[in-house]
Amino acid sequence: MNRPEILQRLTAVIARSSSAPVDASTVTEATSLESFAVDSLVLVDLIFDLEQEFGVQLPAEQLMAMRTMGDLVTQLEARLRA
């Protein structure tokens, strides 16, 4: 799976989990994760949803340290290759 495909699937998962509206056409790797209004409760659901979507384990501490969609794409890409 390449980076654009990961970004597209990631955006869809976040759109389902976020309490803020997500316009997928404007999401890039530079988009801040804060712009999706993901609080600590949503984060738990988001981690579960990402693990299900991509079939990988994502420690919450790592996800909390990420600032942009690109950071998360990089992490998912590395996990998918492992």
Side-chain angles (χ1 to χ4, degrees):
M1 184 178 312
N2 62 35
R3 290 183 72 85
E5 291 171 333
I6 294 171
L7 180 62
Q8 181 182 19
R9 287 175 64 184
L10 174 59
T11 301
V13 170
I14 289 176
R16 291 190 302 262
S17 299
S18 176
S19 59
V22 176
D23 179 357
S25 67
T26 64
V27 175
T28 68
E29 288 196 30
T31 302
S32 167
L33 293 174
E34 289 179 355
S35 66
F36 300 116
V38 175
D39 62 24
S40 59
L41 293 175
V42 173
L43 181 64
V44 173
D45 288 336
L46 179 58
I47 291 169
F48 177 78
D49 292 344
L50 290 172
E51 289 176 342
Q52 294 298 307
E53 177 74 21
F54 291 96
V56 298
Q57 294 289 321
L58 289 171
E61 308 82 45
Q62 288 182 346
L63 190 58
M64 292 176 73
M66 295 179 201
R67 300 290 174 236
T68 66
M69 290 291 280
D71 294 339
L72 191 47
V73 168
T74 298
Q75 184 63 234
L76 287 167
E77 187 176 45
R79 300 262 176 195
L80 289 168
R81 287 187 181 154

Coordinates of all heavy atoms in Angstrom, one line a residue:
M1 N 0.9 -1.2 0.0 CA 0.0 0.0 0.0 C 0.9 1.2 0.0 O 1.8 1.3 0.8 CB -0.9 0.0 1.3 CG -1.9 1.1 1.3 SD -3.0 1.0 2.8 CE -3.5 -0.7 2.8
N2 N 0.6 2.2 -0.9 CA 1.4 3.4 -0.9 C 0.9 4.5 0.0 O -0.2 4.4 0.5 CB 1.6 3.8 -2.4 CG 0.3 4.2 -3.0 OD1 -0.6 4.8 -2.4 ND2 0.1 4.0 -4.3
R3 N 1.7 5.6 0.1 CA 1.3 6.7 1.0 C 0.0 7.3 0.6 O -0.8 7.5 1.6 CB 2.4 7.7 1.0 CG 3.7 7.2 1.7 CD 4.7 8.3 1.8 NE 4.4 9.3 2.8 CZ 4.6 9.2 4.1 NH1 5.2 8.2 4.6 NH2 4.3 10.2 4.9
P4 N -0.3 7.6 -0.6 CA -1.6 8.2 -0.9 C -2.8 7.3 -0.5 O -3.8 7.7 -0.1 CB -1.6 8.4 -2.4 CG -0.1 8.6 -2.8 CD 0.6 7.6 -1.8
E5 N -2.6 6.0 -0.7 CA -3.7 5.0 -0.3 C -3.9 5.0 1.2 O -5.0 5.0 1.7 CB -3.4 3.6 -0.8 CG -3.4 3.4 -2.3 CD -2.9 2.1 -2.8 OE1 -2.0 1.5 -2.2 OE2 -3.4 1.7 -3.9
I6 N -2.8 5.0 1.9 CA -2.8 5.0 3.4 C -3.5 6.3 3.8 O -4.4 6.3 4.7 CB -1.4 4.9 4.0 CG1 -0.8 3.5 3.7 CG2 -1.5 5.2 5.5 CD1 0.6 3.4 4.1
L7 N -3.1 7.5 3.2 CA -3.7 8.7 3.6 C -5.2 8.7 3.3 O -6.0 9.2 4.2 CB -3.1 9.9 2.8 CG -3.6 11.3 3.1 CD1 -3.4 11.6 4.6 CD2 -3.0 12.3 2.2
Q8 N -5.6 8.2 2.2 CA -7.1 8.1 1.9 C -7.8 7.3 2.9 O -8.9 7.7 3.4 CB -7.3 7.6 0.5 CG -8.7 7.5 0.0 CD -8.8 6.9 -1.4 OE1 -7.9 6.2 -1.9 NE2 -10.0 7.1 -2.0
R9 N -7.3 6.1 3.2 CA -8.0 5.2 4.1 C -8.0 5.8 5.5 O -9.0 5.7 6.3 CB -7.4 3.8 4.1 CG -7.7 3.0 2.9 CD -7.0 1.7 2.8 NE -7.4 0.8 3.9 CZ -6.9 -0.4 4.0 NH1 -5.9 -0.8 3.2 NH2 -7.2 -1.2 5.0
L10 N -6.9 6.4 5.9 CA -6.8 7.1 7.2 C -7.8 8.2 7.3 O -8.4 8.4 8.4 CB -5.3 7.6 7.4 CG -5.0 8.4 8.6 CD1 -5.3 7.7 9.9 CD2 -3.5 8.9 8.5
T11 N -7.9 9.0 6.3 CA -8.9 10.1 6.3 C -10.3 9.6 6.5 O -11.1 10.2 7.2 CB -8.7 10.9 5.0 OG1 -7.4 11.4 4.9 CG2 -9.7 12.1 5.0
A12 N -10.6 8.5 5.8 CA -12.0 7.9 6.0 C -12.2 7.5 7.4 O -13.3 7.7 7.9 CB -12.1 6.8 5.0
V13 N -11.2 6.8 8.0 CA -11.4 6.4 9.4 C -11.6 7.6 10.3 O -12.4 7.6 11.2 CB -10.2 5.5 9.8 CG1 -10.2 5.2 11.3 CG2 -10.1 4.2 9.0
I14 N -10.7 8.6 10.1 CA -10.8 9.8 11.0 C -12.2 10.5 10.8 O -12.8 10.9 11.8 CB -9.6 10.7 10.8 CG1 -8.4 10.1 11.4 CG2 -9.9 12.1 11.4 CD1 -7.1 10.8 11.1
A15 N -12.6 10.5 9.6 CA -13.9 11.2 9.3 C -15.1 10.5 10.1 O -16.0 11.1 10.6 CB -14.2 11.1 7.8
R16 N -15.0 9.1 10.2 CA -16.0 8.4 10.9 C -15.9 8.6 12.4 O -16.8 8.5 13.2 CB -15.9 6.9 10.6 CG -16.3 6.5 9.2 CD -16.4 5.0 9.0 NE -15.2 4.3 9.3 CZ -14.3 3.9 8.5 NH1 -14.4 4.2 7.2 NH2 -13.2 3.2 8.8
S17 N -14.6 8.8 12.9 CA -14.4 8.9 14.4 C -14.5 10.3 14.9 O -14.7 10.5 16.1 CB -13.0 8.4 14.7 OG -12.9 7.0 14.3
S18 N -14.2 11.3 14.1 CA -14.1 12.7 14.6 C -15.5 13.3 14.8 O -16.4 13.1 14.1 CB -13.3 13.5 13.5 OG -13.3 14.9 13.9
S19 N -15.5 14.2 15.8 CA -16.7 14.9 16.1 C -16.8 16.2 15.2 O -17.9 16.8 15.1 CB -16.8 15.4 17.6 OG -15.6 16.2 17.9
A20 N -15.7 16.5 14.6 CA -15.7 17.7 13.6 C -15.9 17.2 12.2 O -15.5 16.1 11.9 CB -14.4 18.4 13.7
P21 N -16.6 18.0 11.4 CA -16.7 17.6 10.0 C -15.4 17.5 9.3 O -14.5 18.3 9.5 CB -17.6 18.7 9.4 CG -17.5 19.8 10.3 CD -17.1 19.3 11.6
V22 N -15.2 16.5 8.4 CA -13.9 16.3 7.7 C -14.2 16.3 6.2 O -15.0 15.5 5.7 CB -13.3 14.9 8.1 CG1 -12.0 14.7 7.3 CG2 -13.0 14.9 9.6
D23 N -13.5 17.3 5.6 CA -13.6 17.4 4.1 C -12.4 16.7 3.5 O -11.3 17.2 3.5 CB -13.7 18.8 3.7 CG -13.7 19.0 2.2 OD1 -13.7 18.0 1.4 OD2 -13.8 20.2 1.7
A24 N -12.6 15.4 3.1 CA -11.5 14.6 2.6 C -10.7 15.3 1.5 O -9.5 15.0 1.4 CB -12.0 13.2 2.2
S25 N -11.3 16.1 0.7 CA -10.6 16.7 -0.4 C -9.6 17.7 0.0 O -8.7 18.1 -0.8 CB -11.7 17.4 -1.4 OG -12.3 18.5 -0.7
T26 N -9.7 18.2 1.3 CA -8.7 19.2 1.7 C -7.6 18.6 2.6 O -6.7 19.3 3.0 CB -9.4 20.3 2.5 OG1 -10.0 19.7 3.7 CG2 -10.5 21.0 1.7
V27 N -7.7 17.3 2.9 CA -6.7 16.7 3.8 C -5.5 16.3 3.1 O -5.5 15.6 2.0 CB -7.4 15.4 4.5 CG1 -6.3 14.7 5.4 CG2 -8.6 15.8 5.3
T28 N -4.3 16.7 3.6 CA -3.0 16.4 3.1 C -2.2 15.8 4.2 O -2.6 15.8 5.3 CB -2.3 17.6 2.5 OG1 -2.0 18.5 3.5 CG2 -3.2 18.3 1.4
E29 N -0.9 15.4 3.9 CA 0.0 15.0 4.9 C 0.3 16.1 5.9 O 0.7 15.8 7.0 CB 1.2 14.3 4.3 CG 0.9 13.0 3.6 CD 2.1 12.2 3.4 OE1 3.1 12.3 4.1 OE2 2.1 11.4 2.4
A30 N 0.2 17.3 5.4 CA 0.5 18.5 6.3 C -0.6 18.8 7.3 O -0.4 19.6 8.2 CB 0.9 19.7 5.5
T31 N -1.8 18.3 7.1 CA -2.9 18.6 7.9 C -2.7 18.2 9.3 O -2.2 17.1 9.6 CB -4.2 17.8 7.4 OG1 -4.4 18.2 6.0 CG2 -5.4 18.2 8.2
S32 N -3.0 19.1 10.3 CA -2.8 18.8 11.7 C -3.8 17.9 12.2 O -5.0 18.0 11.9 CB -2.9 20.2 12.4 OG -3.0 19.9 13.8
L33 N -3.4 16.9 13.0 CA -4.4 16.0 13.7 C -5.3 16.8 14.6 O -6.5 16.4 14.8 CB -3.6 14.9 14.4 CG -2.9 13.9 13.5 CD1 -2.1 13.0 14.4 CD2 -3.8 13.2 12.6
E34 N -4.8 17.9 15.1 CA -5.7 18.7 16.0 C -6.9 19.3 15.3 O -7.9 19.5 15.9 CB -4.9 19.9 16.6 CG -3.9 19.4 17.6 CD -3.1 20.6 18.2 OE1 -3.3 21.8 17.7 OE2 -2.3 20.4 19.1
S35 N -6.8 19.4 14.0 CA -7.9 20.0 13.3 C -9.1 19.1 13.2 O -10.2 19.5 12.8 CB -7.5 20.4 11.8 OG -7.2 19.2 11.1
F36 N -9.0 17.8 13.6 CA -10.1 16.9 13.6 C -10.8 16.8 15.0 O -11.7 15.9 15.1 CB -9.6 15.5 13.2 CG -9.0 15.4 11.8 CD1 -7.6 15.1 11.7 CD2 -9.7 15.7 10.7 CE1 -7.0 15.1 10.4 CE2 -9.2 15.7 9.5 CZ -7.8 15.4 9.3
A37 N -10.4 17.6 15.9 CA -11.1 17.6 17.2 C -11.1 16.2 17.9 O -12.2 15.8 18.4 CB -12.5 18.2 17.1
V38 N -10.0 15.6 17.9 CA -9.9 14.3 18.5 C -9.5 14.4 20.0 O -8.4 14.8 20.3 CB -8.8 13.4 17.8 CG1 -8.6 12.1 18.5 CG2 -9.3 13.2 16.3
D39 N -10.4 14.2 20.9 CA -10.1 14.3 22.3 C -9.7 12.9 22.8 O -9.7 11.9 22.0 CB -11.3 14.9 23.1 CG -12.6 14.0 23.0 OD1 -12.5 12.8 22.7 OD2 -13.6 14.6 23.2
S40 N -9.5 12.8 24.1 CA -9.0 11.5 24.6 C -10.0 10.4 24.5 O -9.6 9.2 24.2 CB -8.6 11.7 26.1 OG -9.7 12.1 26.9
L41 N -11.3 10.6 24.6 CA -12.3 9.6 24.4 C -12.3 9.1 22.9 O -12.4 7.9 22.6 CB -13.6 10.0 24.8 CG -13.8 10.3 26.3 CD1 -15.1 10.9 26.7 CD2 -13.5 9.0 27.1
V42 N -12.3 10.1 22.0 CA -12.3 9.8 20.6 C -11.0 9.0 20.2 O -11.1 8.1 19.4 CB -12.5 11.0 19.8 CG1 -12.4 10.8 18.3 CG2 -13.9 11.7 20.0
L43 N -9.9 9.4 20.9 CA -8.7 8.8 20.5 C -8.7 7.3 20.8 O -8.2 6.5 19.9 CB -7.5 9.4 21.4 CG -6.1 8.9 21.1 CD1 -5.7 9.2 19.7 CD2 -5.2 9.5 22.2
V44 N -9.3 6.8 21.8 CA -9.4 5.4 22.1 C -10.2 4.7 21.0 O -9.7 3.7 20.4 CB -10.1 5.1 23.4 CG1 -10.4 3.7 23.7 CG2 -9.3 5.7 24.6
D45 N -11.3 5.3 20.5 CA -12.0 4.7 19.4 C -11.2 4.8 18.1 O -11.2 3.8 17.3 CB -13.4 5.4 19.2 CG -14.4 5.1 20.3 OD1 -14.3 4.1 20.9 OD2 -15.3 6.0 20.5
L46 N -10.5 5.9 17.9 CA -9.7 6.0 16.7 C -8.6 5.0 16.6 O -8.4 4.4 15.6 CB -9.1 7.4 16.7 CG -8.2 7.7 15.4 CD1 -9.0 7.6 14.1 CD2 -7.7 9.2 15.6
I47 N -8.0 4.7 17.7 CA -6.9 3.7 17.7 C -7.5 2.4 17.4 O -6.9 1.6 16.5 CB -6.2 3.7 19.1 CG1 -5.4 4.9 19.3 CG2 -5.3 2.4 19.2 CD1 -4.8 5.1 20.7
F48 N -8.6 2.0 18.0 CA -9.3 0.7 17.7 C -9.6 0.7 16.2 O -9.4 -0.3 15.5 CB -10.5 0.5 18.6 CG -11.3 -0.7 18.2 CD1 -10.8 -1.9 18.7 CD2 -12.4 -0.7 17.5 CE1 -11.5 -3.1 18.4 CE2 -13.1 -1.8 17.1 CZ -12.6 -3.0 17.6
D49 N -10.2 1.7 15.7 CA -10.6 1.8 14.3 C -9.5 1.6 13.3 O -9.5 0.9 12.3 CB -11.4 3.0 14.0 CG -12.8 3.1 14.7 OD1 -13.3 2.0 15.1 OD2 -13.4 4.2 14.8
L50 N -8.4 2.3 13.7 CA -7.2 2.3 12.8 C -6.6 0.9 12.8 O -6.1 0.3 11.8 CB -6.1 3.3 13.2 CG -6.5 4.7 13.0 CD1 -5.5 5.7 13.6 CD2 -6.6 5.0 11.5
E51 N -6.5 0.3 14.0 CA -6.0 -1.1 14.1 C -6.8 -2.1 13.3 O -6.3 -3.0 12.7 CB -5.9 -1.5 15.6 CG -4.8 -0.8 16.4 CD -4.8 -1.1 17.9 OE1 -5.8 -1.7 18.4 OE2 -3.8 -0.9 18.5
Q52 N -8.1 -1.9 13.3 CA -9.0 -2.8 12.6 C -8.9 -2.5 11.1 O -8.8 -3.5 10.3 CB -10.5 -2.6 13.0 CG -10.8 -3.0 14.4 CD -10.6 -4.5 14.6 OE1 -11.1 -5.3 13.8 NE2 -9.8 -4.8 15.6
E53 N -8.8 -1.3 10.7 CA -8.7 -0.9 9.2 C -7.4 -1.4 8.6 O -7.4 -1.9 7.5 CB -8.8 0.6 9.1 CG -8.6 1.1 7.7 CD -9.8 0.8 6.8 OE1 -11.0 0.6 7.3 OE2 -9.7 0.8 5.5
F54 N -6.3 -1.2 9.4 CA -5.0 -1.5 8.8 C -4.4 -2.8 9.3 O -3.3 -3.3 8.8 CB -4.0 -0.4 9.1 CG -4.4 0.9 8.3 CD1 -5.1 1.9 8.9 CD2 -4.0 1.1 7.0 CE1 -5.4 3.0 8.2 CE2 -4.3 2.2 6.3 CZ -5.0 3.2 6.9
G55 N -5.0 -3.5 10.3 CA -4.5 -4.7 10.8 C -3.1 -4.6 11.5 O -2.3 -5.5 11.4
V56 N -2.9 -3.5 12.2 CA -1.7 -3.2 12.9 C -2.0 -2.8 14.4 O -3.1 -2.4 14.7 CB -0.8 -2.1 12.3 CG1 -0.4 -2.5 10.9 CG2 -1.6 -0.8 12.2
Q57 N -1.0 -2.9 15.2 CA -1.1 -2.4 16.6 C -0.5 -1.0 16.7 O 0.6 -0.7 16.2 CB -0.3 -3.3 17.5 CG -0.9 -4.7 17.7 CD -2.2 -4.7 18.4 OE1 -2.4 -4.0 19.4 NE2 -3.1 -5.5 18.0
L58 N -1.2 0.0 17.3 CA -0.8 1.3 17.4 C -0.9 1.7 18.9 O -2.0 1.9 19.4 CB -1.7 2.3 16.6 CG -1.5 2.2 15.1 CD1 -2.6 3.1 14.5 CD2 -0.2 2.7 14.7
P59 N 0.3 1.8 19.6 CA 0.3 2.3 21.0 C -0.3 3.7 21.1 O 0.1 4.6 20.3 CB 1.7 2.2 21.4 CG 2.4 1.2 20.4 CD 1.6 1.4 19.1
A60 N -1.1 3.9 22.0 CA -1.7 5.2 22.2 C -0.7 6.3 22.4 O -0.8 7.4 21.9 CB -2.7 5.2 23.4
E61 N 0.4 6.0 23.1 CA 1.5 7.0 23.4 C 2.1 7.5 22.0 O 2.3 8.7 21.9 CB 2.6 6.4 24.2 CG 2.2 5.8 25.5 CD 1.7 4.3 25.2 OE1 2.4 3.5 24.5 OE2 0.7 4.0 25.8
Q62 N 2.2 6.6 21.1 CA 2.8 7.0 19.8 C 1.8 7.9 19.0 O 2.2 8.9 18.4 CB 3.2 5.8 19.0 CG 4.4 5.1 19.5 CD 4.8 3.9 18.6 OE1 4.0 3.5 17.7 NE2 6.0 3.4 18.8
L63 N 0.5 7.5 19.1 CA -0.4 8.3 18.3 C -0.6 9.7 19.0 O -0.7 10.7 18.2 CB -1.8 7.6 18.4 CG -2.9 8.2 17.5 CD1 -2.4 8.2 16.0 CD2 -4.2 7.4 17.6
M64 N -0.5 9.8 20.3 CA -0.6 11.1 20.9 C 0.6 12.0 20.6 O 0.4 13.2 20.6 CB -0.8 10.9 22.4 CG -2.1 10.3 22.8 SD -2.2 9.9 24.6 CE -2.5 11.6 25.2
A65 N 1.7 11.4 20.3 CA 2.9 12.2 20.0 C 2.9 12.7 18.5 O 3.7 13.6 18.2 CB 4.2 11.4 20.2
M66 N 2.0 12.2 17.7 CA 2.0 12.6 16.3 C 1.2 13.9 16.1 O 0.3 14.2 16.8 CB 1.4 11.5 15.4 CG 2.2 10.3 15.5 SD 1.4 9.0 14.5 CE 2.3 7.6 15.3
R67 N 1.7 14.8 15.2 CA 1.1 16.1 15.0 C 0.4 16.3 13.7 O -0.5 17.1 13.6 CB 2.2 17.2 15.1 CG 2.9 17.2 16.5 CD 2.0 17.6 17.5 NE 2.6 17.5 18.9 CZ 2.1 16.9 19.9 NH1 0.9 16.2 19.7 NH2 2.7 16.8 21.0
T68 N 0.8 15.5 12.7 CA 0.2 15.7 11.3 C -0.2 14.4 10.8 O 0.2 13.3 11.3 CB 1.2 16.3 10.4 OG1 2.3 15.4 10.1 CG2 1.8 17.6 10.8
M69 N -1.0 14.4 9.7 CA -1.5 13.2 9.0 C -0.2 12.5 8.5 O -0.2 11.3 8.5 CB -2.4 13.6 7.9 CG -3.8 14.1 8.4 SD -4.7 12.7 9.2 CE -5.4 11.9 7.7
G70 N 0.8 13.3 8.0 CA 2.0 12.7 7.5 C 2.7 11.8 8.5 O 3.2 10.8 8.2
D71 N 2.7 12.3 9.8 CA 3.3 11.6 10.9 C 2.6 10.2 11.0 O 3.3 9.2 11.1 CB 3.2 12.3 12.2 CG 4.0 13.6 12.2 OD1 5.0 13.7 11.4 OD2 3.7 14.4 13.1
L72 N 1.3 10.2 11.0 CA 0.5 9.0 11.1 C 0.7 8.1 9.9 O 0.8 6.9 10.1 CB -0.9 9.4 11.4 CG -1.8 8.3 11.8 CD1 -1.2 7.4 13.0 CD2 -3.2 8.8 12.3
V73 N 0.7 8.7 8.7 CA 0.9 7.9 7.5 C 2.3 7.2 7.6 O 2.4 6.0 7.3 CB 0.8 8.7 6.2 CG1 1.3 8.0 5.0 CG2 -0.6 9.2 6.0
T74 N 3.3 7.9 8.0 CA 4.6 7.3 8.2 C 4.6 6.1 9.2 O 5.2 5.0 8.9 CB 5.7 8.3 8.6 OG1 5.7 9.4 7.6 CG2 7.0 7.7 8.8
Q75 N 4.0 6.3 10.3 CA 3.9 5.2 11.3 C 3.1 4.0 10.8 O 3.5 2.9 10.9 CB 3.2 5.8 12.6 CG 3.1 4.8 13.7 CD 4.5 4.4 14.2 OE1 4.8 3.2 14.3 NE2 5.3 5.4 14.6
L76 N 2.0 4.3 10.1 CA 1.2 3.2 9.5 C 2.0 2.5 8.4 O 2.0 1.2 8.4 CB -0.1 3.7 9.0 CG -1.1 4.1 10.1 CD1 -2.3 4.9 9.4 CD2 -1.7 2.8 10.8
E77 N 2.7 3.2 7.6 CA 3.5 2.6 6.5 C 4.6 1.7 7.1 O 4.8 0.6 6.6 CB 4.1 3.8 5.7 CG 4.8 3.3 4.5 CD 5.4 4.5 3.7 OE1 5.9 5.4 4.3 OE2 5.2 4.5 2.5
A78 N 5.2 2.1 8.2 CA 6.3 1.3 8.8 C 5.7 0.1 9.4 O 6.2 -1.0 9.3 CB 7.0 2.1 9.9
R79 N 4.5 0.2 10.0 CA 3.8 -1.0 10.7 C 3.4 -1.9 9.6 O 3.4 -3.2 9.8 CB 2.7 -0.5 11.5 CG 3.0 0.4 12.7 CD 3.1 -0.4 13.9 NE 3.6 0.5 15.0 CZ 4.0 0.1 16.1 NH1 4.1 -1.2 16.3 NH2 4.4 0.9 17.0
L80 N 2.9 -1.5 8.5 CA 2.4 -2.3 7.4 C 3.6 -3.1 6.8 O 3.4 -4.2 6.3 CB 1.7 -1.5 6.4 CG 0.3 -1.0 6.8 CD1 -0.2 0.0 5.8 CD2 -0.7 -2.2 7.0
R81 N 4.7 -2.5 6.8 CA 5.9 -3.2 6.2 C 6.5 -4.2 7.1 O 7.2 -5.2 6.7 CB 7.0 -2.2 5.8 CG 6.7 -1.4 4.6 CD 7.8 -0.5 4.2 NE 7.4 0.3 3.1 CZ 8.0 1.4 2.8 NH1 8.9 1.9 3.6 NH2 7.6 2.1 1.7
A82 N 6.3 -4.1 8.4 CA 6.9 -5.0 9.4 C 6.2 -6.4 9.4 O 5.2 -6.6 8.9 CB 6.7 -4.4 10.8

